[in-house]
Amino acid sequence: MIDGNAPLISVVIPYYNRQGTLLRALDSVRMQSFQNLEIITVDDGSTDGSYELVEQYRVEFPELKVTNLQQANAGPSAARNAGVRAARGKYIAFLDSDDSWRPEKLKFQIERMNQEPDLMLVGTNYMVLLDNGDSRIAFPKQQQFLRGSYRRMLFKVFVCIPSTLVDREIFTKYGIWFREGKNHAEDSLFFLQVARHFSIGRLHEPLTCIHKQMYGDDGLTADMKGMLRNDIDNCRILAREPDHCGKRLNPVLAQFLIGWMYLKHVKRVLITMRQNTSS
């Protein structure tokens, strides 16, 4: 049950040794035009002073209602789940500790979800902003609002975690959580499990800023072989394990998708090689 005095949105920010980027992420939440929110940060076993940095931020901006949790290092899925369990809002907004938002991001998402109550997850377009000044919009040509299709999402996931606003009932009522122990493609698996039964969509405005290449650059996304293994693992999970409605992915389609994943991996490698050559 949602507390009547609770904020509408709970912003969940997991972090691990992100002392250099956490303030940018927190400031982007503080500057949101929509302010009926709380912030739940989850320290996933940092050793670089990140936790103390957030504690200082809490003291400096008490009006932000920051809850700073700590856990032994268990990966991004466990950290996000811990944040959701502590959340009080009707909606959960996820932000990675090295990314940021435009000031109107949450406002536009809430407006869309109010206009279309069947939506359970809304993402935004996003911009990749690199330290060298390079930038690009992820989806430069798209309609004003794009609804997701589970079948299409199997081949191309069209949202990213830092851009999403999710109805908390996805977790508390329907039991769809981030799969703990997966450090790659856990977000893709979550999106697919949601899209199988619920309406999701993406705003065309690039309201989320990703401050790294989407793969081959930094952190977990630098391990492209790990990404491939976990993309394949997702197909097998969807084919092997029934969801909350008892449905599984067709095994023939799953095998076709695994072949598709190998082609995507080759494309990622080629793009990364081109990035490294041009940098």
Side-chain angles (χ1 to χ4, degrees):
M1 179 179 294
I2 301 296
D3 181 353
N5 296 318
L8 188 62
I9 297 176
S10 297
V11 179
V12 173
I13 307 176
Y15 64 92
Y16 172 72
N17 288 349
R18 286 297 183 183
Q19 193 172 14
T21 61
L22 260 169
L23 289 181
R24 179 178 62 200
L26 289 165
D27 282 344
S28 76
V29 181
R30 181 168 59 87
M31 299 304 292
Q32 288 295 298
S33 59
F34 183 91
Q35 279 294 310
N36 184 8
L37 57 84
E38 66 177 348
I39 302 174
I40 300 171
T41 55
V42 185
D43 175 19
D44 189 32
S46 296
T47 59
D48 70 341
S50 294
Y51 180 83
E52 291 74 18
L53 184 71
V54 177
E55 287 297 292
Q56 293 172 9
Y57 202 87
R58 290 179 64 224
V59 173
E60 186 175 357
F61 301 103
E63 71 279 5
L64 283 181
K65 304 173 187 173
V66 179
T67 299
N68 192 22
L69 306 178
Q70 275 186 305
Q71 65 179 31
N73 182 256
S77 291
R80 291 186 188 117
N81 288 343
V84 173
R85 284 191 291 270
R88 298 182 300 136
K90 173 175 172 52
Y91 300 104
I92 308 292
F94 293 102
L95 177 60
D96 287 347
S97 55
D98 53 352
D99 297 320
S100 63
W101 291 338
R102 299 296 191 192
E104 301 297 304
K105 190 254 188 192
L106 294 179
K107 175 179 177 291
F108 288 163
Q109 287 179 298
I110 283 292
E111 287 176 352
R112 175 60 64 169
M113 294 187 94
N114 286 338
Q115 290 167 8
E116 302 183 47
D118 65 311
L119 289 167
M120 296 294 280
L121 183 153
V122 171
T124 76
N125 200 347
Y126 56 91
M127 179 174 289
V128 177
L129 297 174
L130 304 182
D131 291 340
N132 64 6
D134 290 347
S135 65
R136 66 176 178 84
I137 295 175
F139 304 99
K141 296 179 181 179
Q142 69 162 82
Q143 59 203 68
Q144 192 74 12
F145 184 74
L146 180 64
R147 279 191 172 253
S149 157
Y150 173 63
R151 288 279 176 169
R152 281 167 34 199
M153 289 268 286
L154 286 168
F155 293 91
K156 184 174 179 59
V157 174
F158 78 137
V159 288
C160 65
I161 278 292
S163 80
T164 52
L165 183 68
V166 186
D167 192 309
R168 186 155 67 96
E169 286 194 342
I170 287 292
F171 304 92
T172 59
K173 182 176 180 179
Y174 299 104
I176 302 174
W177 295 81
F178 292 97
R179 194 177 185 94
E180 300 191 12
K182 280 182 72 73
N183 290 335
H184 297 284
E186 78 289 343
D187 50 354
S188 298
L189 179 61
F190 173 76
F191 292 141
L192 288 167
Q193 289 172 324
V194 173
R196 183 181 289 189
H197 296 290
F198 302 103
S199 295
I200 70 173
R202 185 185 71 211
L203 298 168
H204 83 284
E205 294 93 345
L207 301 171
T208 302
C209 300
I210 308 297
H211 297 275
K212 59 183 178 297
Q213 297 287 2
M214 293 306 292
Y215 40 80
D217 189 1
D218 182 35
L220 296 172
T221 55
D223 182 6
M224 287 188 288
K225 288 184 179 178
M227 292 173 68
L228 173 61
R229 285 194 303 271
N230 281 272
D231 280 338
I232 293 171
D233 185 50
N234 285 350
C235 292
R236 291 172 174 160
I237 289 170
L238 292 168
R240 181 179 66 243
E241 300 179 10
D243 63 10
H244 69 281
C245 291
K247 293 186 177 181
R248 293 183 177 90
L249 180 65
N250 182 289
V252 175
L253 178 56
Q255 289 302 313
F256 180 82
L257 283 168
I258 288 172
W260 177 258
M261 298 303 174
Y262 278 102
L263 292 176
K264 286 208 314 185
H265 174 69
V266 172
K267 179 181 177 182
R268 287 170 177 165
V269 170
L270 292 175
I271 290 174
T272 302
M273 290 173 62
R274 187 167 66 246
Q275 289 170 181
N276 293 339
T277 301
S278 62
S279 61

